[in-house]
């Protein structure tokens, strides 16, 4: 794709709220910030106010760098007790950015956070700005749902896909193909870590080696996911898939074969990483069975 055409697609999607502009997103909230210590009722209202201003139709799916600039009256900050520390403002703002109506899934996605305040030049004129940057492809169109996988984590998955500045709905076939791939990669990662530990690796080393046979998709612990998202336990979505498969076996058969073949290859790579090299006899049999 020509660079100008790629830019036009990004710009078109960003204008419609379908994607961050090459990973970058900014918004100015004409809302007075509150401290996280303000209490649950006020925080809930503040969160609702933030999400009422959001127009994004996507969520970031991986790590982000986030910057918050809070505009406050300088005299009020320096000469009264009416304002809070910037970190307390940040906590309340981050809470408003999460969830199905937000732009993030969880605080753990924030890899770097910068918070600062500037003079708003007016006691009654307080607001804040948020800037987020991430990898250009680390986003997913709403609505996002979470599916449990063999490694015990829950992975975001949606039925809409970004395409050239627009969006397309996935067929049932493509939807389940994506879940089968996630399931396979999750299973490979889990089994690889077990094998690495058995081979004598420590916990951290096994985690690091497991990245070689892991999906780039990020899974989340159940406790990290906002209750507003639709959640599908593995037994549940598997049952739905098997019911669909009974009438569509011919549509998914080739994909299942490809997934099974990929699993075998990943398992061979896992064995190599664990130091279980194939014997010379095995290699000879593969060359001349």
């Amino acid at each position: 794709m020509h660079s100008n055409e790629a830019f036009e697609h990004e710009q078109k999607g960003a204008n419609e709220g379908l994607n961050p502009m090459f990973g970058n997103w900014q918004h100015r909230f004409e809302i007075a910030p509150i401290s996280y210590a303000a209490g649950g009722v006020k925080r809930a209202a503040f969160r609702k106010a933030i999400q009422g201003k959001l127009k994004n139709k996507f969520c970031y799916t991986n790590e982000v760098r986030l910057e918050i600039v809070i505009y406050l009256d300088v005299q009020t900050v320096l000469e009264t007790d009416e304002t809070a520390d910037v970190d307390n403002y940040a906590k309340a703002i981050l809470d408003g950015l999460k969830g199905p109506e937000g732009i993030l899934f969880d605080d753990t996605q924030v890899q770097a956070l910068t918070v600062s305040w500037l003079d708003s030049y007016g006691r009654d004129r307080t607001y804040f700005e948020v800037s987020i940057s991430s990898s250009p492809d680390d986003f997913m169109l709403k609505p996002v749902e979470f599916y449990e996988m063999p490694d015990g984590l829950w992975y975001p998955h949606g039925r809409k896909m970004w395409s050239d500045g627009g969006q397309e709905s996935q067929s049932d076939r493509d939807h389940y193909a994506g879940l089968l791939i996630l399931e396979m990669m999750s299973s490979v990662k889990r089994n690889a870590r077990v094998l690495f530990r058995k081979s004598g690796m420590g916990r951290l080393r096994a985690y690091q080696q497991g990245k070689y046979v892991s999906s780039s998709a990020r899974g989340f612990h159940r406790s990290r996911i906002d209750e507003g998202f639709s959640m599908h336990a593995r037994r549940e979505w598997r049952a739905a898939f098997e019911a669909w498969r009974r009438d569509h076996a011919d549509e998914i058969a080739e994909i299942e074969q490809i997934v099974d073949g990929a699993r075998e290859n990943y398992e061979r790579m896992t064995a190599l990483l664990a130091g279980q090299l194939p014997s010379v006899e095995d290699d000879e049999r593969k060359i001349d069975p």
Side-chain angles (χ1 to χ4, degrees):
M1 183 183 293
H2 192 274
S3 59
N4 287 340
E5 187 177 359
F7 180 87
E8 289 172 1
H9 287 161
E10 283 285 312
Q11 187 67 66
K12 176 186 175 184
N15 290 342
E16 297 179 9
L18 293 172
N19 58 270
M21 187 67 181
F22 293 112
N24 298 310
W25 176 88
Q26 303 85 31
H27 192 82
R28 175 169 167 168
F29 294 86
E30 297 287 350
I31 306 170
I34 69 167
S35 167
Y36 193 77
V41 174
K42 289 185 177 180
R43 288 203 309 270
F46 182 61
R47 183 185 192 192
K48 184 177 181 180
I50 289 177
Q51 296 187 351
K53 300 291 185 181
L54 292 173
K55 304 301 179 185
N56 59 293
K57 300 174 184 176
F58 69 91
C59 282
Y60 283 102
T61 56
N62 220 310
E63 281 68 48
V64 303
R65 295 168 297 282
L66 195 147
E67 180 179 4
I68 300 172
V69 180
I70 304 165
Y71 293 83
L72 303 167
D73 175 61
V74 64
Q75 184 177 358
T76 303
V77 173
L78 299 180
E79 298 183 356
T80 76
D81 61 357
E82 297 176 19
T83 59
D85 297 335
V86 290
D87 60 323
N88 283 324
Y89 284 127
K91 290 178 182 178
I93 292 171
L94 285 175
D95 193 49
L97 296 174
K98 298 185 302 181
E101 305 303 322
I103 197 167
L104 298 173
F105 300 140
D106 179 59
D107 289 345
T108 58
Q109 291 177 255
V110 182
Q111 193 171 41
L113 174 63
T114 302
V115 189
S116 58
W117 71 270
L118 295 174
D119 188 1
S120 66
Y121 299 101
R123 182 179 176 84
D124 298 322
R125 187 171 182 269
T126 59
Y127 58 96
F128 59 94
E129 297 173 341
V130 176
S131 300
I132 300 178
S133 60
S134 182
S135 172
D137 299 323
D138 285 344
F139 70 94
M140 186 174 293
L141 293 182
K142 299 178 180 181
V144 177
E145 301 181 352
F146 282 83
Y147 292 79
E148 183 186 21
M149 292 297 160
D151 61 359
L153 299 178
W154 298 70
Y155 288 77
H157 193 63
R159 296 293 295 255
K160 293 183 179 180
M161 300 293 291
W162 187 94
S163 177
D164 296 336
Q167 57 181 321
E168 297 178 357
S169 295
Q170 288 195 89
S171 65
D172 288 338
R173 171 184 175 273
D174 291 344
H175 168 68
Y176 284 121
L179 290 178
L180 291 177
I181 293 170
L182 279 174
E183 182 182 44
M184 180 271 293
M185 294 299 299
S186 169
S187 177
V188 166
K189 180 187 73 173
R190 178 198 60 189
N191 295 340
R193 290 187 188 175
V194 172
L195 182 61
F196 295 155
R197 293 302 300 275
K198 287 182 177 179
S199 70
M201 294 184 194
R203 178 174 176 269
L204 178 58
R205 181 63 173 166
Y207 171 81
Q208 292 172 331
Q209 289 291 85
K211 289 186 175 182
Y212 290 112
V213 289
S214 297
S215 167
S216 60
R218 174 180 168 175
F220 292 79
H221 189 273
R222 178 66 181 86
S223 64
R224 292 290 187 175
I225 303 170
D226 190 283
E227 62 182 11
F229 285 105
S230 294
M231 309 290 292
H232 303 279
R234 189 181 177 206
R235 179 182 298 180
E236 172 195 328
W237 73 258
R238 258 286 171 182
F241 167 65
E242 293 298 339
W244 175 85
R245 187 181 183 280
R246 283 194 290 270
D247 296 324
H248 303 85
D250 56 330
E251 294 182 40
I252 202 71
E254 183 178 0
I255 291 173
E256 289 180 308
Q257 291 176 0
I258 293 172
V259 171
D260 288 342
R263 180 191 297 275
E264 292 178 4
N265 289 330
Y266 276 113
E267 288 174 348
R268 293 192 189 99
M269 287 189 285
T270 297
L272 290 175
L273 290 168
Q276 298 178 2
L277 298 175
S279 66
V280 175
E281 291 78 8
D282 288 339
D283 288 340
E284 290 176 347
R285 280 196 292 270
K286 290 177 181 177
I287 295 173
D288 186 20

